[in-house]
Amino acid sequence: MTARISTQKKILNAAETLFSRDGFEQTSLRQITQEAGVNLASVNYHFGSKKALIQAVMARYLVVFMPVLEEQLQLAEQQSELKTEELFKRFKIPLAKLTEVNKHGPDIFLRLLGFAYSEIQGHLRKYTQQEFGGVLQHLLALLKRANPHLSEQQMFWRLHFILGAAVFAQVSGQALIEIAQAEFNQKVNAQDVIDHLIPFVSGGLEEA
């Protein structure tokens, strides 16, 4: 017997599908209600606003991703010599954990992050800082420890350029996979794209 899906979960599932495909700005509440098969009053009752719904969709992944990332950062902190690339590799286990949320969880999460960054969703940044600011500060502290030669200003710019590269890799991931196949007869997947990205962004951050 198939379990009945609650109205709240129907809305979250529909929002996740549309947000990860079309972005936050291009997705309307009307589209979400049509996809979920519910009325607008249900969205307002369960979430109150589109911003709150966006945060709820992201929270599905962040509540899984962030605690595992913190565990990985604590392991990294025990190393006598920190390397930037090793820190970025610590993201792979938390990303893989997202398959527990959705079998395509890592890809969906990265696409959502890409839209959040490119569309300047300020409320999401505030929400993430409020709920997971400790993890983010821990990551920043370790990156500074691994790169003591960088000033605060240099760290700011380079981290944002890294975010830009990560967004591009995610948004263009399928195109990159197809080009690799056509040009080099190389079969790659989304994880391979991340493996290629990590040494690139690590070198960009470390450059003196």
Side-chain angles (χ1 to χ4, degrees), residues 45-64:
Y45 173 77
H46 287 288
F47 300 99
S49 68
K50 183 179 177 181
K51 287 183 178 179
L53 177 56
I54 291 172
Q55 291 170 15
V57 169
M58 290 300 297
R60 275 178 149 182
Y61 292 93
L62 289 171
V63 296
V64 175

Side-chain angles (χ1 to χ4, degrees), residues 136-165:
L136 297 176
Q137 288 301 314
H138 193 185
L139 172 62
L140 182 59
L142 292 179
L143 286 171
K144 287 179 178 178
R145 180 178 147 192
N147 297 276
H149 59 289
L150 295 180
S151 67
E152 293 281 342
Q153 190 176 42
Q154 286 174 315
M155 183 67 75
F156 167 83
W157 285 110
R158 294 185 189 191
L159 285 178
H160 279 80
F161 290 146
I162 285 170
L163 283 171

Side-chain angles (χ1 to χ4, degrees), residues 70-193:
E70 176 61 24
E71 291 174 0
Q72 290 298 306
L73 295 179
Q74 289 176 8
L75 290 173
E77 192 166 18
Q78 297 172 16
Q79 298 176 348
S80 58
E81 185 178 0
L82 274 177
K83 296 291 185 181
T84 303
E85 186 169 343
E86 289 303 314
L87 279 174
F88 285 137
K89 284 181 179 178
R90 295 283 176 178
F91 280 79
K92 294 170 70 172
I93 291 177
L95 281 173
K97 189 76 171 175
L98 297 181
T99 56
E100 296 180 4
V101 181
N102 185 305
K103 66 179 180 179
H104 302 298
D107 182 61
I108 292 170
F109 178 62
L110 290 172
R111 286 189 64 81
L112 290 170
L113 279 183
F115 284 122
Y117 183 72
S118 62
E119 295 178 3
I120 316 177
Q121 296 289 320
H123 67 97
L124 262 184
R125 179 180 179 181
K126 183 178 180 181
Y127 164 78
T128 306
Q129 287 284 356
Q130 286 177 339
E131 299 296 324
F132 308 103
V135 182
L136 297 176
Q137 288 301 314
H138 193 185
L139 172 62
L140 182 59
L142 292 179
L143 286 171
K144 287 179 178 178
R145 180 178 147 192
N147 297 276
H149 59 289
L150 295 180
S151 67
E152 293 281 342
Q153 190 176 42
Q154 286 174 315
M155 183 67 75
F156 167 83
W157 285 110
R158 294 185 189 191
L159 285 178
H160 279 80
F161 290 146
I162 285 170
L163 283 171
V167 168
F168 170 80
Q170 181 54 36
V171 172
S172 306
Q174 188 57 43
L176 293 171
I177 290 170
E178 292 173 4
I179 292 169
Q181 174 67 44
E183 296 291 330
F184 309 109
N185 196 29
Q186 182 183 18
K187 291 184 178 180
V188 299
N189 54 34
Q191 184 58 59
D192 294 322
V193 174

